[in-house]
């Protein structure tokens, strides 16, 4: 199994490429801002052919390049319907300060073909089998992508692409439009904590981690599990 990841130029958003092996079809996850040249290099290096784009949620730093990636190859983008409006109008999910970064105008276009992700769906594409877990809180349509990890660089039983739900040592912020700390804590309790400790987590920002490590040290998971000493501060990471 081939897993290649790299941070985008803006906001350090991790873009991932998943394939069964070099020379095969692949899936692109969260193509953010300024990733096109680096993505093309990864695809050329491993002789990969994108079959679809998967989006963990609708924030601009995870979706900015989805239209050119999909449009150049005639492929579909997959997103949970609760974030569909963000894909059409990314400004709806941005704070005023973030909108000002773009001078009030976002040089962005929506992909031509968008398919909906549903909780519990199993996607079978590019020779891979990926389970979708709806995990709202960072946004209303945030999802986790889970897949078998045998043969991956980590030789894990399972991989989890967590988007901005779970990071190493933290979670995604919940103060932007569509965010909810209550829903985030529910997602952590019902979708994250049940995962096996040896599950390797590939987050939307920052380094890889494991569920076991986060279960033991992440203050938000400790709170949900009822083993934390104090309520952690409000999370600040994620667009």
């Amino acid at each position: 199994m081939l897993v290649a990841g790299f941070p985008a130029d803006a906001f350090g958003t991790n873009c991932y490429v998943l394939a069964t092996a070099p020379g095969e079809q692949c899936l692109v996850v969260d193509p953010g801002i300024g990733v096109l040249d680096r993505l093309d290099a990864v695809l050329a290096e491993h002789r990969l052919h994108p079959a679809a784009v998967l989006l963990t949620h609708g924030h601009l730093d995870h979706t900015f390049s989805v239209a050119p990636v999909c449009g150049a190859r005639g492929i579909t983008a997959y997103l949970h319907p609760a974030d569909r409006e963000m894909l059409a109008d990314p400004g709806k999910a941005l704070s005023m300060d973030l909108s000002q970064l773009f001078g009030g105008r976002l040089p962005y276009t929506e992909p031509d073909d968008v398919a909906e992700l549903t909780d519990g769906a199993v996607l079978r594409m590019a020779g891979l089998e990926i389970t979708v877990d709806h995990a709202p809180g960072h946004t209303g349509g945030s999802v986790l992508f889970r897949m078998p990890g045998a043969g991956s660089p980590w030789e894990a039983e399972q991989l989890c692409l967590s988007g901005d739900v779970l990071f190493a040592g933290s979670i995604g912020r919940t103060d932007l439009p569509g965010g909810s700390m209550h829903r985030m804590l529910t997602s952590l309790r019902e979708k994250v904590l049940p995962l096996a400790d040896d599950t390797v987590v590939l987050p939307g920002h920052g380094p890889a981690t494991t569920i076991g490590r986060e279960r033991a040290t992440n203050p938000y998971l400790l709170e949900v599990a009822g083993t934390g000493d104090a309520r952690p501060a409000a999370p600040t990471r994620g667009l």
Side-chain angles (χ1 to χ4, degrees), residues 58-125:
H59 280 164
L60 185 69
D61 61 325
H62 293 253
T63 68
F64 187 84
S65 296
V66 62
V69 171
C70 290
R73 300 164 178 89
I75 59 177
T76 301
Y78 288 78
L79 177 73
H80 191 277
D83 281 6
R84 184 67 176 80
E85 188 177 22
M86 296 183 200
L87 200 59
D89 183 3
K92 289 184 179 297
L94 299 181
S95 69
M96 182 61 68
D97 288 342
L98 289 173
S99 294
Q100 290 172 352
L101 287 176
F102 296 93
R105 299 183 62 186
L106 301 175
Y108 176 86
T109 56
E110 186 180 2
D112 292 331
D113 187 16
V114 181
E116 294 185 352
L117 297 170
T118 58
D119 186 39
V122 178
L123 308 177
R124 294 179 176 89
M125 297 181 291

Side-chain angles (χ1 to χ4, degrees), residues 61-219:
D61 61 325
H62 293 253
T63 68
F64 187 84
S65 296
V66 62
V69 171
C70 290
R73 300 164 178 89
I75 59 177
T76 301
Y78 288 78
L79 177 73
H80 191 277
D83 281 6
R84 184 67 176 80
E85 188 177 22
M86 296 183 200
L87 200 59
D89 183 3
K92 289 184 179 297
L94 299 181
S95 69
M96 182 61 68
D97 288 342
L98 289 173
S99 294
Q100 290 172 352
L101 287 176
F102 296 93
R105 299 183 62 186
L106 301 175
Y108 176 86
T109 56
E110 186 180 2
D112 292 331
D113 187 16
V114 181
E116 294 185 352
L117 297 170
T118 58
D119 186 39
V122 178
L123 308 177
R124 294 179 176 89
M125 297 181 291
L128 300 169
E129 184 173 288
I130 297 178
T131 300
V132 180
D133 292 321
H134 184 211
H138 180 62
T139 67
S142 290
V143 300
L144 310 174
F145 294 120
R146 293 186 290 113
M147 57 191 299
S152 70
W154 303 273
E155 289 295 339
E157 286 295 319
Q158 189 172 86
L159 302 178
C160 176
L161 284 81
S162 63
D164 286 5
V165 175
L166 181 68
F167 304 132
S170 190
I171 60 173
R173 61 191 292 186
T174 60
D175 61 324
L176 294 176
S180 165
M181 178 55 78
H182 173 74
R183 298 186 79 188
M184 175 66 89
L185 295 177
T186 299
S187 292
L188 295 177
R189 182 182 304 109
E190 297 181 355
K191 302 295 187 178
V192 174
L193 281 180
L195 299 178
D197 282 350
D198 60 357
T199 300
V200 171
V201 178
L202 304 179
H205 302 265
T209 185
T210 66
I211 291 295
R213 183 179 301 129
E214 298 311 303
R215 192 191 309 278
T217 62
N218 189 308

Side-chain angles (χ1 to χ4, degrees), residues 42-54:
V42 170
L43 298 176
E45 177 185 357
H46 300 288
R47 309 183 312 283
L48 297 172
H49 311 283
V53 172
L54 307 183

